[in-house]
Amino acid sequence: MAIVSTQDVRQVALLARLALHDDELKKLAAQLDEILEYVRQLQAVSTDGVEPTSHVLPLADVTRPDQRLPSLPPEEALTLAPARHGHLVKVPKVID
Amino acid sequence: MQYESVIGLEVHLQLNTDSKLFCGCSTTFGAAPNHQTCPVCLGLPGVLPVLNHRAFEWGIKAALAFDCRLAQVMKFDRKQYFYPDLPKNYQISQYDQPLAQHGHLDITIEGASRRIRITRIHMEEDAGKLLHDPQAPWSYVDFNRTGIPLLEIVSEPDLRSPDEASAYLLELKAVLEYLDVSTCDMENGSLRCDTNISLRKRGEALGVKVEIKNLNSFKAVKAALVYEIARQAKRLDAGERIAQETRLWNAKAEQTETMRSKEAASDYRYFPEPDLVPFTIQPRLREAVAAQLPPLPAQRRVRLMDAYGLSAYDAQVLTQHRRLAELFEGAIAQGAKPKPLANWIMGELLAYLNARGQEPSGVTLRPEWLVHLLEAIDAGTISGKMAKELFVESLERQVDPAQVIRENNLRQIVDHGQLDRLAEEVIAGFQKSVEDYRKGKANALMFLVGKCMERSNGKANPTQMADVLKRKLNQGKEAVT
Amino acid sequence: MDRLCTRTIHELRSLMDQGACEPRALLQELLEQVERLNPTLHAYVTVDAGRLMRQLEQRLRQGPRGKLFGIPITVKDNLCVQGEETTCASRILRHFRPPYTASAIERLTQEGAIIVPRANMDEFAFGSSTESSAYGVTRNPWDLERVPGGSSGGSACAVAADAAIAALGTDTGGSIRQPAAFCGVVGLKPTYGRVSRYGLIAFASSLDVIGPITKDVRDCALLLSVIAGHDPKDSTCAPVEVPDYVAALQRPVKGLRFGVPKEYLIEEGIAPDVKAALEASCGALERLGMRRVSVSLPHTSYAVAAYYVVATAEASSNLARYDGVQYGARAATDGGSLLDMYQRTRADGFGTEAKRRIILGTYVLSRGYYDAYYLKGLKVRTLIKRDFDEALASCDVLICPTSPTAAFRIGEKLDNPLQMYLSDIFTISANLAGIPALSMPCGFTAKGLPIGMQLLAGPFREEVLLQVASAYEQATEWHRRKPEIRSCSTSR
């Protein structure tokens, strides 16, 4: 049985904010299924008592002093924006 | 039907730092939109966060004040959701290894102390600000707030009424103000609050929890809880189910409303932030921060009652704000008497601040000014009425009342010879009234006192003046008889 | 005399010292080479000759006259250069000009280098073939029908074709080493944290590293010594002292031990000529006085699975920011909702492989799957790291092929993502373990395609990698071979 259904991919695509056509969804579901089937071999590895590794280096406690640095000039920051309104970035209306 | 309400609070607090949590941008409130942003807080590609050490220290300080267990290893995680005010579309927050857990805060409710457990305290970055144009299909984003350091303090659902929730918030705010880790100013968003509430019949299992957001004042928290209790009770009474949901408080309509967007569809996909390393809280750091802890409101309250004999109520009011307590104890140290001092602070000072909508934390009055003022009243140099006017002037001008007294020559006439002369002049000038007085008309004495005050430019003490007049008038009567 | 663009950095340095090379002439020759070959190879997305000449003039006027004075260094399109378009070969970042420069590039500039931007790459470094670039496929200079490897395919191709003196690439699962192997050049993935990631547009933050791709080992050591070192802007950059990597090249290798992991040789799918080249190379190392020891990396066969879980999870998160709100491209959705804007922008902006990885990464982090996939992947990562700790306790370096095959044909694996992922089997473990690894030419297939040998060492032991690689290079001639590039008739 497939691990991933087209419906699963549709749900994940919504979480990831990707618009996908039905044929893309179907193709992706099949490919994902194959990849996850392969990934499933991890289940065969015994990891009891094994700590996960999120960072390979034993680095810790890296901070910076509470010091102000110059911000970007607003014009420079805002020229990157695809749409703006004065000094504000403009987006389609947000509904709570 | 009677229900018990089960309430928990989540408080978001802006930490008092010069720069943001992960970058060097200023945290100053009120800058023009998008003037305090940089590649890091804008989430531009390729740049990386580095933790602000002071924010970390402030977090530890708060955790210690609430008697929390500090994490052995603290880490940051990404909380992922798409929102235009969140530039990276994830918030750097903490999930399963927060800064601290298992603390508590004691509150006093109807004279009895209640311990409210604090589940966890974690650090996170703030999001930006969205502005909506009701006329157009657009929203606008200001990223100045993005990356501002926040501390989230989550309580257990140990609160049982809106009043308890208010007491908890007040006490929490008092403690945080004492710590000086935040301005706790709700006006500019440095303290924000979400709450969750469920109802149950006493002794039964917990009911369905509803979250309420968008509470931007303590008043709103209480009002929203009162509203929500009534709403849920009505549904339960009617045999209806409570939906598990997030609701927004509409301050204008004074009601909670279902959020239109589907919060339920969210799945935050937390995972460890790979751009930041773990943080250990070494004993040295912990001790250094602990050494900075000031006496907290509860400790100060006990001291005020034990050492100066203040009532529980007075002690409560005076310790509500660190500044007031410091003012009080500062003045005591310079010789002020506790009770009149407490009355003066709680009466005149608070009235002055309330009338002007000012926070006690911003008061710049010096303790010695209060000492000078109370001494002048005690010595009879000024009357109570004069003192009140003088106090206001001194606050407005930010000068010592003693200086105001000197400048305006605001001294009561205490020289008895001078008072005698005043009385004699007035008796000689208003014979009609003297006769009235002798006929037993009490008003006549008031009239004569008034005339004396006029002639002294208000510097005579009216009680003393009345005594002198009475003595003179009675002497005269004896002499005539 | 050889053209200047065919030279290495250290050769050019001594020519300049002798007054036999002038930076203007060098850049001119390099630009001519690029102009001649780029239409065929497409190693660069774009090259702006005018801007480069201006940069050179400024450098000549103001310096600094450091170790790389006047030397053009090519950089991959995922390394930010202030004011230069930097797109990760993606449509979604088209026209994005960062207001900052990557720390590694800053360090090159401080030594006087001329920065040559925009080597082509797989979109967001997602790939092993440079076919997923939104700006066209890069070709292998040894065979134009084949891929240059990826994701730093543009960098490796340019270096191999003398269209670059040296280059910077980035490596998340083999993206420096595999293209270096396919193109017959030297590529080094340093220890994670050796080089600052500030300004490297992230693929998978816990795996990404910037490293050099060069014509020989000496240049590799030279570039590493410039870009390595602590950076307060990157919390994960290690405050570890930077040794003199160039000096390390002189040290004798006699008595050093090399381990050949037994799992790597029995792995299915290793091409016979790759296996033979590696065996011959092991013989060469023994003749240099090194001792061969047998080692085992028992969790090798799980590396690809663990990698694709961890790397895509981080990638899905790192790529969430490309949403059309604040920078980059925004899809036109006349009067559409915010959700439409997000979904269309990302659907239009990302290519197929990026979408595939975003979906996979989102899936493995989502509710109900985190423990089974992501957390499990991180735990297996721990085991893989331990394997290396143990293996490297009994030897100085590990030797294995960089890739199971030489360069494959363009289009060959495009429709089979899993097969593409499996081609990274030998390179991925070093990223999971965070250790340094170097790929260098060690032979050619019967068809004349380069074969890469990979050397791995313990964390921050780049010195020993360079030391062994240098000894091997001096004992062999592979690095002297140059591709003969046919005309541009096959270019699309």
Side-chain angles (χ1 to χ4, degrees):
Chain A
M1 203 191 92
I3 305 173
V4 195
S5 68
T6 312
Q7 185 47 36
D8 291 338
V9 178
R10 198 187 304 274
Q11 183 57 35
V12 172
L14 177 63
L15 268 180
R17 299 293 187 267
L18 278 173
L20 296 174
H21 300 300
D22 284 347
D23 49 337
E24 278 180 295
L25 281 171
K26 248 167 82 187
K27 195 170 168 188
L28 266 172
Q31 288 174 337
L32 224 61
D33 202 63
E34 193 192 355
I35 295 165
L36 288 171
E37 182 60 47
Y38 177 79
V39 166
R40 272 199 166 182
Q41 61 171 298
L42 292 179
Q43 305 309 323
V45 188
S46 165
T47 52
D48 294 344
V50 176
E51 286 293 314
T53 296
S54 315
H55 292 90
V56 279
L57 291 183
L59 273 178
D61 305 334
V62 180
T63 58
R64 61 177 183 87
D66 180 23
Q67 251 164 29
R68 276 185 200 167
L69 295 170
S71 290
L72 272 183
E75 274 313 309
E76 205 172 324
L78 288 160
T79 44
L80 299 169
R84 54 188 281 196
H85 174 79
H87 282 309
L88 294 160
V89 173
K90 186 162 126 176
V91 293
K93 192 161 211 120
V94 179
I95 298 159
D96 275 326
Chain B
M1 173 105 48
Q2 269 302 101
Y3 297 98
E4 179 180 52
S5 42
V6 177
I7 300 166
L9 288 167
E10 275 178 29
V11 171
H12 289 86
L13 183 77
Q14 176 178 341
L15 292 171
N16 241 342
T17 54
D18 288 340
S19 63
K20 291 186 179 179
L21 188 54
F22 299 117
C23 66
C25 285
S26 166
T27 52
T28 310
F29 178 76
N34 292 308
H35 278 55
Q36 286 173 180
T37 62
C38 76
V40 174
C41 58
L42 288 176
L44 296 188
V47 294
L48 300 165
V50 186
L51 180 66
N52 182 332
H53 195 269
R54 183 165 293 151
F56 184 31
E57 269 182 40
W58 281 179
I60 296 172
K61 200 171 169 187
L64 290 174
F66 295 114
D67 215 9
C68 288
R69 204 178 305 154
L70 289 169
Q72 289 199 314
V73 182
M74 160 187 109
K75 70 175 173 71
F76 286 92
D77 300 273
R78 293 184 182 176
K79 178 182 184 178
Q80 309 189 75
Y81 60 97
F82 280 80
Y83 216 67
D85 63 4
L86 197 62
K88 304 183 289 296
N89 287 320
Y90 60 79
Q91 177 192 32
I92 304 179
S93 180
Q94 300 189 307
Y95 184 55
D96 56 351
Q97 286 170 248
L99 173 67
Q101 295 183 79
H102 310 300
H104 58 83
L105 176 65
D106 294 335
I107 60 170
T108 306
I109 194 86
E110 288 164 5
S113 179
R114 283 252 290 125
R115 173 155 289 191
I116 308 303
R117 290 169 300 160
I118 286 173
T119 317
R120 57 184 272 146
I121 298 185
H122 74 246
M123 302 171 74
E124 63 186 23
E125 57 178 348
D126 204 353
K129 195 169 128 193
L130 278 173
L131 303 152
H132 306 282
D133 183 346
Q135 313 303 331
W138 303 104
S139 294
Y140 306 103
V141 204
D142 171 7
F143 293 105
N144 282 349
R145 282 201 70 87
T146 309
I148 294 260
L150 298 181
L151 206 60
E152 180 170 330
I153 303 175
V154 183
S155 85
E156 290 286 316
D158 286 352
L159 300 157
R160 293 290 171 270
S161 69
D163 283 332
E164 287 195 3
S166 295
Y168 170 84
L169 285 174
L170 275 177
E171 184 66 11
L172 190 84
K173 186 176 171 210
V175 171
L176 293 165
E177 230 183 70
Y178 272 54
L179 298 176
D180 202 19
V181 296
S182 171
T183 59
C184 293
D185 194 345
M186 287 192 101
E187 290 277 295
N188 61 26
S190 73
L191 195 151
R192 280 170 284 166
C193 184
D194 298 338
T195 179
N196 55 71
I197 172 165
S198 62
L199 298 191
R200 66 173 170 193
K201 288 182 199 150
R202 213 166 285 271
E204 287 193 354
L206 287 174
V208 176
K209 192 167 82 175
V210 170
E211 273 189 76
I212 312 172
K213 291 185 186 282
N214 204 26
L215 300 165
N216 31 25
S217 68
F218 285 5
K219 233 176 78 191
V221 174
K222 193 168 168 180
L225 285 170
V226 167
Y227 176 87
E228 191 59 21
I229 289 169
R231 184 188 74 89
Q232 291 187 21
K234 200 172 151 194
R235 289 190 72 98
L236 291 171
D237 285 345
E240 290 172 73
R241 275 175 4 102
I242 304 293
Q244 177 157 1
E245 61 175 343
T246 300
R247 299 174 70 86
L248 291 178
W249 173 245
N250 181 335
K252 241 183 224 154
E254 295 191 333
Q255 60 188 25
T256 64
E257 292 163 359
T258 300
M259 283 178 87
R260 275 176 290 172
S261 64
K262 279 268 175 280
E263 268 260 321
S266 71
D267 176 351
Y268 293 131
R269 292 161 285 133
Y270 281 101
F271 79 104
E273 167 58 276
D275 289 334
L276 290 165
V277 296
F279 296 86
T280 58
I281 301 166
Q282 301 291 339
R284 263 200 21 219
L285 176 61
R286 185 204 157 104
E287 280 154 28
V289 175
Q292 302 169 26
L293 280 183
L296 296 176
Q299 291 163 269
R300 227 162 178 157
R301 215 165 286 146
V302 171
R303 191 161 80 205
L304 259 51
M305 288 158 68
D306 291 355
Y308 313 119
L310 294 190
S311 71
Y313 176 78
D314 289 2
Q316 171 76 34
V317 174
L318 286 176
T319 54
Q320 197 63 57
H321 299 283
R322 181 178 180 171
R323 187 78 195 98
L324 295 187
E326 281 174 352
L327 205 53
F328 179 81
E329 292 202 285
I332 292 279
Q334 295 181 48
K337 289 179 197 152
K339 187 62 192 169
L341 174 65
N343 287 345
W344 199 269
I345 294 174
M346 292 162 60
E348 295 311 313
L349 179 58
L350 286 181
Y352 174 87
L353 295 173
N354 280 340
R356 285 158 186 78
Q358 290 174 11
E359 281 285 320
S361 49
V363 167
T364 47
L365 176 67
R366 298 220 197 121
E368 60 265 31
W369 297 358
L370 278 169
V371 177
H372 296 157
L373 188 76
L374 290 169
E375 276 172 359
I377 300 169
D378 256 12
T381 312
I382 52 172
S383 66
K385 184 165 177 284
M386 284 163 78
K388 287 178 189 181
E389 288 164 9
L390 178 62
F391 185 55
V392 170
E393 186 179 346
S394 136
L395 283 172
E396 300 276 314
R397 289 176 47 204
Q398 288 291 303
V399 293
D400 190 336
Q403 190 187 329
V404 183
I405 291 174
R406 272 196 309 278
E407 284 172 6
N408 297 353
N409 207 4
L410 277 181
R411 257 164 208 288
Q412 293 195 100
I413 298 165
V414 284
D415 175 354
H416 278 269
Q418 224 180 323
L419 292 178
D420 283 353
R421 276 194 298 282
L422 260 176
E424 282 158 16
E425 279 172 36
V426 170
I427 289 171
F430 296 94
Q431 277 301 317
K432 170 85 174 52
S433 298
V434 172
E435 277 165 36
D436 288 348
Y437 173 78
R438 289 182 178 148
K439 283 177 196 158
K441 286 192 182 168
N443 283 348
L445 181 65
M446 293 316 296
F447 175 78
L448 293 170
V449 171
K451 287 295 164 193
C452 291
M453 295 301 290
E454 241 171 57
R455 290 190 176 208
S456 76
N457 293 321
K459 286 179 194 168
N461 179 314
T463 322
Q464 260 181 319
M465 201 64 241
D467 288 346
V468 173
L469 275 171
K470 265 195 266 178
R471 184 160 44 81
K472 293 270 170 198
L473 291 167
N474 291 344
Q475 274 171 8
K477 196 160 80 182
E478 280 157 26
V480 172
T481 321
Chain C
M1 197 183 92
D2 283 344
R3 285 176 305 148
L4 292 171
C5 62
T6 65
R7 302 287 196 157
T8 61
I9 299 172
H10 60 89
E11 286 167 354
L12 291 166
R13 285 300 310 144
S14 35
L15 286 174
M16 281 189 200
D17 289 347
Q18 297 156 22
C21 167
E22 210 269 317
R24 281 195 190 91
L26 169 59
L27 184 59
Q28 201 56 55
E29 278 196 26
L30 183 71
L31 287 172
E32 280 165 18
Q33 180 81 342
V34 171
E35 203 180 325
R36 194 166 68 82
L37 294 180
N38 208 47
T40 305
L41 296 174
H42 200 60
Y44 292 90
V45 178
T46 55
V47 172
D48 187 331
R51 280 179 84 96
L52 285 169
M53 294 309 281
R54 283 197 293 281
Q55 192 192 149
L56 176 75
E57 291 308 321
Q58 196 202 359
R59 190 74 72 247
L60 293 177
R61 264 199 319 278
Q62 295 170 353
R65 295 182 172 257
K67 282 185 225 173
L68 299 173
F69 177 67
I71 309 280
I73 306 288
T74 295
V75 300
K76 190 175 174 179
D77 194 29
N78 59 351
L79 296 172
C80 293
V81 184
Q82 184 172 355
E84 297 281 349
E85 193 171 348
T86 308
T87 68
C88 280
S90 179
R91 276 189 303 274
I92 208 154
L93 278 174
R94 189 186 281 268
H95 305 314
F96 175 69
R97 291 177 192 273
Y100 44 87
T101 295
S103 295
I105 292 181
E106 203 75 71
R107 284 169 175 265
L108 295 179
T109 308
Q110 279 161 15
E111 291 295 340
I114 308 300
I115 306 303
V116 185
R118 302 203 75 192
N120 200 16
M121 57 184 283
D122 280 298
E123 182 181 14
F124 284 103
F126 297 155
S128 314
S129 66
T130 316
E131 291 167 289
S132 71
S133 167
Y135 304 110
V137 176
T138 299
R139 289 167 187 275
N140 191 311
W142 297 89
D143 178 346
L144 298 178
E145 298 307 317
R146 289 177 188 267
V147 302
S151 67
S152 310
S155 298
C157 168
V159 172
D162 291 325
I165 305 303
L168 289 190
T170 63
D171 191 313
T172 308
S175 281
I176 285 175
R177 292 159 286 157
Q178 186 253 22
F182 281 13
C183 293
V185 293
V186 179
L188 171 66
K189 175 207 107 70
T191 307
Y192 181 82
R194 174 76 289 184
V195 180
S196 169
R197 291 186 295 118
Y198 184 86
L200 153 61
I201 301 183
F203 159 6
S205 313
S206 79
L207 303 162
D208 294 342
V209 196
I210 300 174
I213 297 178
T214 56
K215 291 174 187 170
D216 69 6
V217 175
R218 176 168 292 268
D219 274 7
C220 187
L222 193 74
L223 275 191
L224 181 66
S225 68
V226 173
I227 62 174
H230 183 55
D231 178 11
K233 289 181 189 159
D234 176 1
S235 306
T236 63
C237 186
V240 173
E241 213 183 306
V242 180
D244 186 342
Y245 293 117
V246 179
L249 303 176
Q250 313 303 332
R251 291 184 206 144
V253 296
K254 194 163 190 262
L256 291 181
R257 294 156 303 169
F258 69 94
V260 181
K262 63 174 196 230
E263 291 80 5
Y264 283 16
L265 290 179
I266 55 173
E267 195 64 48
E268 288 166 52
I270 297 192
D273 34 11
V274 170
K275 208 164 180 171
L278 193 82
E279 273 309 327
S281 301
C282 289
L285 293 175
E286 281 175 314
R287 283 194 293 283
L288 287 166
M290 288 180 70
R291 263 192 309 130
R292 177 174 181 155
V293 297
S294 172
V295 293
S296 170
L297 298 169
H299 294 94
T300 295
S301 62
Y302 301 108
V304 174
Y307 173 84
Y308 275 92
V309 167
V310 174
T312 57
E314 291 184 17
S316 71
S317 175
N318 285 331
L319 269 61
R321 70 190 65 196
Y322 308 111
D323 60 1
V325 169
Q326 198 201 325
Y327 55 86
R330 179 190 289 190
T333 53
D334 299 323
S337 68
L338 179 68
L339 184 64
D340 289 341
M341 192 273 274
Y342 280 146
Q343 291 185 324
R344 279 259 60 89
T345 294
R346 291 166 62 79
D348 295 353
F350 291 128
T352 309
E353 184 59 25
K355 287 178 192 169
R356 189 152 44 225
R357 297 208 189 188
I358 289 169
I359 294 289
L360 177 58
T362 306
Y363 181 85
V364 298
L365 286 177
S366 64
R367 198 182 286 137
Y369 300 108
Y370 182 92
D371 287 1
Y373 293 110
Y374 184 69
L375 190 63
K376 189 76 182 182
L378 290 183
K379 288 180 177 176
V380 172
R381 183 180 188 181
T382 306
L383 297 175
I384 288 167
K385 190 170 178 295
R386 274 188 210 162
D387 280 359
F388 280 105
D389 291 345
E390 279 163 34
L392 286 161
S394 64
C395 61
D396 299 286
V397 293
L398 297 172
I399 302 288
C400 67
T402 306
S403 171
T405 65
F408 47 85
R409 289 182 175 281
I410 290 172
E412 190 180 321
K413 300 191 179 186
L414 260 188
D415 271 334
N416 194 334
L418 186 57
Q419 279 311 308
M420 183 81 92
Y421 299 172
L422 286 170
S423 72
D424 298 336
I425 183 127
F426 296 131
T427 48
I428 267 169
S429 301
N431 298 82
L432 288 171
I435 59 175
L438 179 146
S439 175
M440 66 189 299
C442 75
F444 284 82
T445 64
K447 290 195 179 108
L449 296 170
I451 297 169
M453 165 169 73
Q454 185 178 214
L455 296 80
L456 304 97
F460 300 100
R461 299 268 289 141
E462 284 84 357
E463 276 171 287
V464 73
L465 287 185
L466 292 161
Q467 180 185 352
V468 174
S470 174
Y472 177 84
E473 189 180 71
Q474 281 166 37
T476 56
E477 293 290 320
W478 309 119
H479 66 288
R480 296 196 198 284
R481 272 202 215 177
K482 297 264 184 184
E484 264 177 56
I485 299 156
R486 287 177 282 123
S487 72
C488 55
S489 58
T490 50
S491 79
R492 285 185 219 177

